[in-house]
Amino acid sequence: MNVTKYQALADELARAIGDGKLSPNARLPSVRELMQQHRLSLATVTKSLYVLEQLGLIEPRNKAGFYVKQSKSIANAAVDANLDLTVDGPINAMCNWRPSVDLFPEQRWQSLLGSIIRRHPFLPTRHAQEFGHPRLRAELARRSAENGCFLKEDELIVTQGATEALLLALRATTQAGDRVLVQSPIGVLFRRLLETFTLTPVPILSRVDETDFVAEIQKVLEGENPPKVLLLVANYHFPTGALMPLMAKRNLIRLAEKHALTIIEDDVYGDLQHEGARPLTLKSFDLKGNVIYVNSSSKSLAPGLRIGWLAAGRWRKRIEYFKNASASSVSELSQLVLAEFLAQGSHVPHLRKIRKQLKDRAGEYLSILRLVLGKEAAISTVLGGYSFWLALPQIISADEVRSQIQVFWPLLDSPDSPQIVVVSQGLCFNTSVPLTDPLRQSLTAFCFHLRGLL
């Protein structure tokens, strides 16, 4: 059985505590020392220490590192990968986490809206079609070839944003009390969805771009009472921004086929790569209908349209039943506007432009972080999307850091579009917001403060 890197380190430290090599009140090696000794990343070491803290073996002491909390006889104990790590920042800030409005072509949308109203003046008097307007479904099917899905028009169901699509997918595939695999850190949307249906999250602590990710899922599936559903963002996961490698996607699909695992793939960030071709989706490799593919226009094309869609795979009939029972429909005016935008090819230059803007803006943020934090933190590259997540050692209180931001650098905590939010034991930076001089000064000053804590 493959053991993930964070589990291996946690097991080693747990055995040292159980064998008495680390006695009560003994200080553990620092995070930096553990990184150097075991050649692990900051995120991996942080996960290991967090797991040990949840087991009651160690405790952080203010700016002094981790200490053994109590002696337990747990030699050869295995760390449970299913610990509930559902820790989120303030809900209001998370709900306002969205791309900067200046990224979208407002005049182009206004022109299309006027054109559609003139050509279809009786739209307000007509009932919307329950599974979506045929013209939009045809355009979405045509465009699906860009991410390797090659979907058919009758496979698609148009929804009120990606949230309704995810709700329908979970409602069709789960029952109250079921366990659902989900990436950690768990975002506020996924947490709310799971709470809505009384589902128990089974966090996957490895990132999708880490070699242990599929192995960790396999270990859970081969254990007792394995989950039957995986809720996943494979392309530019929020908040980590991680991108699942192509081979890992193929391996995960094979694993899903072997264990009859249904994957709900949320691909709302997939169009926002900063360089190169758009990454393929898990749905691209799905031949058995095990993947329910979810996408929307909100992150990349037009947030205000509130249009999402899903390809239901083998769950199509059941999802159509729940969609019909919900009596919800999407404005046909909005659908025709989006269909016209896609039919005219307007999305091609728009996406080309927004990708370059996101890359340039992310570069500005990262240059400040690298300049100020230096070797105190591992600053990776943002490959896509508009989120950069900085994991913090457990000795630093993320909530206390956020409180300090509110007091000393309020520009970084705008109610309408916050630039930094707390997600689990880390800080997430919204790199889509353009850096004005005041924002740049606030961010630089905050980073100097943060360096003193690391």
Side-chain angles (χ1 to χ4, degrees):
M1 183 72 66
N2 292 328
V3 178
T4 59
K5 293 179 181 179
Y6 82 87
Q7 287 176 293
L9 176 58
D11 285 344
E12 179 181 330
L13 294 173
R15 283 193 295 270
I17 295 172
D19 294 341
K21 295 178 181 178
L22 289 172
S23 58
N25 295 317
R27 184 181 182 277
L28 269 67
S30 69
V31 172
R32 182 174 298 178
E33 290 171 343
L34 290 172
M35 290 170 60
Q36 293 173 347
Q37 292 171 7
H38 298 272
R39 296 182 179 180
L40 297 174
S41 67
L42 173 62
T44 301
V45 172
T46 300
K47 289 177 190 176
S48 302
L49 295 175
Y50 186 72
V51 168
L52 293 174
E53 184 183 359
Q54 293 298 299
L55 291 173
L57 299 178
I58 65 175
E59 61 181 355
R61 297 182 184 175
N62 189 30
K63 297 185 179 181
F66 284 90
Y67 288 77
V68 177
K69 187 175 182 180
Q70 56 186 2
S71 178
K72 287 190 176 183
S73 180
I74 54 170
N76 301 320
V79 173
D80 183 5
N82 298 336
L83 289 172
D84 186 0
L85 303 184
T86 312
V87 184
D88 294 292
I91 289 179
N92 288 339
M94 297 293 292
C95 290
N96 290 330
W97 192 259
R98 57 176 70 99
S100 177
V101 295
D102 73 309
L103 294 169
F104 303 99
E106 292 183 355
Q107 291 184 348
R108 180 63 183 143
W109 286 113
Q110 290 171 5
S111 174
L112 281 175
L113 180 60
S115 174
I116 295 297
I117 291 176
R118 287 190 296 272
R119 281 184 283 161
H120 303 274
F122 301 108
L123 275 179
T125 66
R126 298 174 184 173
H127 290 287
Q129 301 180 56
E130 57 184 351
F131 301 136
H133 196 283
R135 188 178 179 204
L136 176 59
R137 293 167 74 186
E139 288 299 330
L140 293 174
R142 183 177 61 84
R143 189 170 176 256
S144 68
E146 296 174 13
N147 56 35
C149 288
F150 299 98
L151 300 172
K152 297 179 181 179
E153 179 182 336
D154 59 1
E155 291 183 80
L156 294 165
I157 298 174
V158 178
T159 60
Q160 295 180 359
T163 301
E164 187 193 10
L166 293 169
L167 281 167
L168 289 169
L170 284 171
R171 187 178 182 186
T173 58
T174 63
Q175 296 179 344
D178 282 357
R179 304 168 75 228
V180 175
L181 281 161
V182 63
Q183 292 155 287
S184 179
I186 305 175
V188 64
L189 173 60
F190 282 7
R191 178 167 66 83
R192 282 178 164 180
L193 291 171
L194 296 175
E195 289 175 350
T196 297
F197 296 110
T198 322
L199 302 172
T200 302
V202 180
I204 310 163
L205 300 185
S206 300
R207 289 168 44 130
V208 296
D209 57 354
E210 294 178 341
T211 56
D212 296 330
F213 183 77
V214 177
E216 186 175 343
I217 294 176
Q218 181 178 356
K219 181 178 180 180
V220 176
L221 294 178
E222 292 176 351
E224 295 182 3
N225 187 25
K228 293 298 182 183
V229 175
L230 165 62
L231 188 56
L232 180 70
V233 179
N235 295 328
Y236 315 123
H237 166 246
F238 172 82
T240 63
L243 172 65
M244 179 180 282
L246 195 63
M247 187 57 66
K249 291 176 179 176
R250 291 180 176 175
N251 292 337
L252 181 57
I253 290 297
R254 295 192 191 104
L255 190 66
E257 293 175 355
K258 179 180 178 181
H259 293 274
L261 177 71
T262 297
I263 301 174
I264 302 174
E265 180 183 16
D266 184 1
D267 193 40
V268 296
Y269 301 104
D271 284 319
L272 300 180
Q273 80 274 15
H274 291 182
E275 286 184 324
R278 187 203 196 281
L280 295 178
T281 64
L282 288 167
K283 188 67 176 176
S284 308
F285 306 100
D286 178 36
L287 301 178
K288 306 290 186 181
N290 291 322
V291 177
I292 300 176
Y293 177 76
V294 173
N295 207 333
S296 85
S297 63
S298 298
K299 307 300 183 185
S300 58
L301 297 177
L305 292 180
R306 294 295 299 159
I307 293 179
W309 57 92
L310 64 83
R314 61 187 175 90
W315 296 94
R316 174 183 162 191
K317 294 296 183 183
R318 188 167 172 81
I319 288 179
E320 285 182 348
Y321 171 81
F322 285 120
K323 174 65 175 174
N324 184 276
S326 69
S328 66
S329 59
V330 182
S331 163
E332 287 210 343
L333 176 59
S334 296
Q335 292 187 62
L336 287 174
V337 170
L338 180 56
E340 185 72 12
F341 188 79
L342 297 175
Q344 294 183 4
S346 299
H347 64 290
V348 176
H350 163 66
L351 288 175
R352 187 185 303 120
K353 180 180 179 181
I354 192 176
R355 288 162 182 162
K356 184 180 186 307
Q357 288 177 306
L358 288 174
K359 178 186 176 182
D360 292 343
R361 292 179 185 183
E364 290 187 65
Y365 280 82
L366 296 183
S367 64
I368 293 175
L369 292 172
R370 290 189 178 114
L371 178 65
V372 178
L373 298 181
K375 297 181 180 180
E376 299 298 327
I379 308 297
S380 58
T381 300
V382 179
L383 300 177
Y386 53 90
S387 301
F388 174 77
W389 190 59
L390 180 65
L392 298 176
Q394 288 294 322
I395 57 174
I396 298 177
S397 169
D399 289 329
E400 183 177 337
V401 170
R402 184 177 186 278
S403 298
Q404 293 171 340
I405 291 174
Q406 291 175 321
V407 174
F408 298 108
W409 303 283
L411 284 177
L412 302 179
D413 190 50
S414 168
D416 296 329
S417 182
Q419 285 190 280
I420 301 177
V421 296
V422 173
V423 184
S424 188
Q425 184 59 24
L427 300 174
C428 193
F429 297 77
N430 186 339
T431 58
S432 76
V433 180
L435 277 175
T436 61
D437 286 340
L439 285 176
R440 185 177 288 104
Q441 293 170 5
S442 293
L443 179 62
T444 303
F446 167 71
C447 288
F448 274 109
H449 170 74
L450 189 60
R451 187 174 73 176
L453 301 177
L454 295 174

